[in-house]
Amino acid sequence: MEDPELRRSIVALGMVGDVALDGSDVRVEIKLTVAGCPLKAEIQRRVGDAVGAVSGVERVNVVMDAMSDQERLALRSGLEGGVGHASPFAEEGSGTRVIAVASGKGGVGKSSLTANLAVALTRTGASVGLLDADVYGYSIPRMMGVSRRAVMVEDLMMPVDAHGVRLMSVGFMTSDDNPVIWRGPMLHKALTSFVSDVFWDDPDYLLVDLPPGTGDVPLSIAQLLPKASMLVVTTPQLAAQRVARRAAAMAERVDIPVAGVVENMSWFVAPDTGARYEVFSGGGGEQLAGELGVPLLGRVPLEPDVALAGDAGVPVVARSPDSEAATALLGIAESLTAVIRPA
Ligand SMILES: Nc1ncnc2c1ncn2[C@@H]1O[C@H](COP(=O)(O)OP(=O)(O)OP(=O)(O)O)[C@@H](O)[C@H]1O
Ligand SMILES: [Mg+2]
């Protein structure tokens, strides 16, 4: 059995303590990395199920305990990364393809697309990380249905697993009543920490949800993730030329190539009549892609389900995979794998 967050065998991690047999009764001691581990019940249940499935075992008693400082240090030293380490994604041998999701304007659906594309990419069998770089206006925790804090193993942060995606967000560090007020250098430090001090474990893809606008965050991200490609999100009615100029200016400033464009909120299908409305005329996605000289990877309809799913913490590709929006999103994930620059 694997630890849900470390994704290593719990035996190899030194989490299994004494195992005692008494006839067909088994008593297993599990040592958690931290006593208050939020995954305690989950681990207890999984161990109970795994041991209970062994033939001849009738009763399983899983005793939950915590590691000693020494045991935790031993576990920690077996995991790469942590404070003082350079960005693992900047290394020559890194096999991770990094995709930063940006737009020239706020509220166009960057976070919704990032969350859905991350889940969609896991469907191809890939391992996927999602870095929420929207430090002030983070929305990934809610969209992915996570309301708990991240676990630390010594100086190393464990990404939170949701819908098969490994997530890191400021939302896992603070409570809502404590808004983050980080400026310039602190902001860069926080993002550095999110890249280097997190046990990302070499995912196949790392998606980055950028904040709206062209402030300091994209610059930091570009430094920390030099192999990134940018995905630009737009809506049909946005004046393509203006958005293109802004997106291109940002891409140039931070030296990240644009891999493609996604148009969101493209059309609406009336649920009662089935009539299809191109709500905003304009073809903004196609124009923008043309201006930037990159492919339009797809168009996503405006669908109440997308917003509802986001509010419910289950992205629409997981909640209603057969919906028109989910179908479009799954298709975009597919196209994305083809245009993203190899790691
Ligand atoms: N295709 C869609 N259909 C319906 N609602 C959508 C769709 N895409 C996004 N939304 C909704 O629009 C709102 C804005 O989306 P989202 O937060 O993803 O945008 P954003 O670009 O990340 O915003 P910000 O710039 O503030 O970070 C959310 O309420 C979301 O649920
Ligand atoms: Mg957002």
Side-chain angles (χ1 to χ4, degrees):
M1 192 203 116
E2 288 185 349
D3 178 89
E5 286 184 336
L6 291 162
R7 301 198 179 183
R8 296 277 193 278
S9 145
I10 58 170
V11 177
L13 290 169
M15 291 172 66
V16 180
D18 290 337
V19 180
L21 263 171
D22 181 7
S24 55
D25 292 1
V26 182
R27 181 185 179 281
V28 190
E29 185 198 10
I30 298 296
K31 294 184 278 190
L32 298 169
T33 52
V34 282
C37 177
L39 295 169
K40 184 173 176 174
E42 164 87 8
I43 293 172
Q44 187 165 25
R45 186 185 57 76
R46 286 210 212 171
V47 172
D49 288 351
V51 179
V54 176
S55 73
V57 175
E58 273 181 16
R59 259 186 304 274
V60 189
N61 180 14
V62 185
V63 183
M64 303 304 279
D65 205 347
M67 286 185 172
S68 67
D69 291 350
Q70 214 168 9
E71 286 167 331
R72 193 168 41 250
L73 273 172
L75 181 155
R76 166 68 187 92
S77 67
L79 305 171
E80 70 279 16
V83 173
H85 280 247
S87 163
F89 303 107
E91 280 168 22
E92 202 54 51
S94 166
T96 303
R97 296 157 122 202
V98 182
I99 303 159
V101 181
S103 70
K105 188 175 173 289
V108 297
K110 289 179 295 299
S111 303
S112 307
L113 287 175
T114 311
N116 276 291
L117 292 177
V119 176
L121 284 169
T122 67
R123 301 289 193 264
T124 68
S127 56
V128 183
L130 198 174
L131 169 60
D132 181 358
D134 194 348
V135 176
Y136 302 114
Y138 57 84
S139 50
I140 290 297
R142 182 179 54 82
M143 287 182 182
M144 294 294 273
V146 179
S147 56
R148 66 174 177 84
R149 284 174 180 246
V151 173
M152 302 280 304
V153 176
E154 299 301 312
D155 59 332
L156 197 59
M157 282 184 269
M158 295 301 125
V160 174
D161 190 295
H163 309 290
V165 179
R166 322 194 78 197
L167 309 169
M168 189 45 69
S169 169
V170 177
F172 305 153
M173 306 278 121
T174 62
S175 53
D176 281 345
D177 1 325
N178 283 323
V180 183
I181 331 173
W182 286 331
R183 299 267 177 256
M186 271 308 283
L187 190 63
H188 183 71
K189 233 178 125 183
L191 290 169
T192 305
S193 176
F194 274 10
V195 169
S196 307
D197 308 347
V198 171
F199 183 58
W200 288 111
D201 204 18
D202 297 327
D204 296 321
Y205 293 94
L206 179 73
L207 270 63
V208 184
D209 184 20
L210 291 174
T214 53
D216 292 335
V217 171
L219 208 55
S220 289
I221 288 298
Q223 278 175 26
L224 295 161
L225 307 168
K227 296 181 201 167
S229 306
M230 203 182 289
L231 182 67
V232 180
V233 184
T234 192
T235 53
Q237 90 280 23
L238 287 178
Q241 283 176 336
R242 261 188 41 221
V243 177
R245 268 201 301 275
R246 258 193 243 169
M250 160 143 82
E252 200 171 306
R253 181 169 79 107
V254 304
D255 200 16
I256 299 182
V258 178
V261 169
V262 173
E263 185 185 275
N264 189 24
M265 311 191 188
S266 301
W267 71 91
F268 175 73
V269 176
D272 45 352
T273 62
R276 180 178 160 130
Y277 299 95
E278 298 275 338
V279 191
F280 307 108
S281 56
E286 205 162 348
Q287 286 178 36
L288 176 57
E291 289 274 339
L292 293 173
V294 298
L296 173 65
L297 298 176
R299 304 172 77 219
V300 182
L302 181 78
E303 217 169 83
D305 249 12
V306 175
L308 291 173
D311 290 342
V314 186
V316 75
V317 295
R319 196 162 114 131
S320 326
D322 297 326
S323 63
E324 239 186 303
T327 307
L329 287 157
L330 289 160
I332 292 166
E334 196 73 43
S335 322
L336 194 56
T337 60
V339 298
I340 219 71
R341 62 173 161 167

